[in-house]
Amino acid sequence: METRLLRFCNWSVLGVCATLKLPQIFAVLGARSARGISLPSLLLELAGFLVFLRYQCYYEYPLLTYLEYPILIAQDLILLLCVFHFKGDVKRAAPYIVLYVSAWFLLALQKWIIDLAMNLGTFISAASKCAQLQYLWKSRDSGAVSALTWSLASYTCAARIMTTLMTTSDLTILIRFVIMLTLNIWVAATILHYRKTDVKSE
């Protein structure tokens, strides 16, 4: 029973993450605008994903417990390019990409670096969600932000809490997923709140 549940969680998370950012990417492309998307939030999220992936690779955890992260990073990079494109300056993305590639190699130089980065990575990822929340509160407009993307992200965090408990029981990873689950639900609820507000005002 536990093996089946683990398999379901792993494969469902992988399936959801294969399309997780697509609603957001299509919303931005459809609106031809990055309105409502916080660039600092996106950059911090990408950094958090990168640190988490590097940590899992460094400790050689089972591949199925983190296989979605290369997919999420690729989708975030596409979204980042879309945001810069609609803000009129795609070239501004280049320094960030160079920074992320350099960080990938620097993180694994010493064990203490990757451990520290993982602990900071949770705060970085939480900061990315808080930046998106702050942007929504300030603008009172969900714009082209996809509630579906944030809802799916909530599911993946809940499923990853289960898989972590059944495999590595790594407390650092568990704390990260609990925090991310809470904040993802909060962002999704905020998006829906401002969407209802927009409908009423019309």
Side-chain angles (χ1 to χ4, degrees):
M1 178 69 179
E2 189 175 310
T3 307
R4 285 181 186 170
L5 179 60
L6 180 61
R7 190 179 299 124
F8 171 78
C9 288
N10 280 330
W11 286 106
S12 66
V13 166
L14 193 56
V16 167
C17 286
T19 59
L20 182 67
K21 297 287 181 171
L22 295 183
Q24 184 62 76
I25 292 167
F26 290 143
V28 168
L29 292 174
R32 300 193 61 74
S33 165
R35 185 173 61 95
I37 296 175
S38 165
L39 182 59
S41 171
L42 185 57
L43 293 169
L44 288 167
E45 180 180 69
L46 197 48
F49 285 166
L50 185 80
V51 168
F52 187 76
L53 176 62
R54 196 58 168 140
Y55 179 87
Q56 296 269 28
C57 291
Y58 185 87
Y59 283 104
E60 299 179 351
Y61 283 154
L63 184 63
L64 276 178
T65 61
Y66 65 90
L67 191 57
E68 70 271 18
Y69 280 85
I71 299 167
L72 290 172
I73 289 169
Q75 290 178 21
D76 259 0
L77 284 172
I78 292 167
L79 187 56
L80 183 67
L81 292 173
C82 287
V83 169
F84 276 119
H85 171 73
F86 289 117
K87 289 190 182 230
D89 195 4
V90 179
K91 291 178 185 175
R92 278 188 54 214
Y96 294 109
I97 293 169
V98 169
L99 179 67
Y100 292 135
V101 170
S102 302
W104 176 262
F105 295 103
L106 294 173
L107 285 169
L109 289 178
Q110 296 284 331
K111 181 183 181 299
W112 69 268
I113 296 174
I114 193 67
D115 289 341
L116 177 64
M118 181 58 186
N119 288 318
L120 292 174
T122 298
F123 292 108
I124 290 168
S125 293
S128 80
K129 316 297 181 193
C130 291
Q132 184 62 58
L133 279 167
Q134 183 182 26
Y135 192 88
L136 289 166
W137 292 334
K138 189 177 178 182
S139 67
R140 298 177 133 344
D141 177 14
S142 57
V145 186
S146 170
L148 178 59
T149 290
W150 288 92
S151 300
L152 291 172
S154 301
Y155 168 76
T156 63
C157 288
R160 280 302 175 216
I161 289 170
M162 295 292 297
T163 61
T164 304
L165 286 169
M166 289 187 279
T167 55
T168 63
S169 295
D170 187 316
L171 187 60
T172 306
I173 293 174
L174 277 173
I175 291 169
R176 180 187 192 281
F177 282 127
V178 168
I179 293 169
M180 294 306 104
L181 173 61
T182 306
L183 291 172
N184 282 334
I185 290 170
W186 195 356
V187 173
T190 305
I191 293 165
L192 292 172
H193 170 71
Y194 286 123
R195 192 138 308 144
K196 284 180 183 174
T197 305
D198 289 346
V199 170
K200 283 179 187 174
S201 63
E202 287 171 8

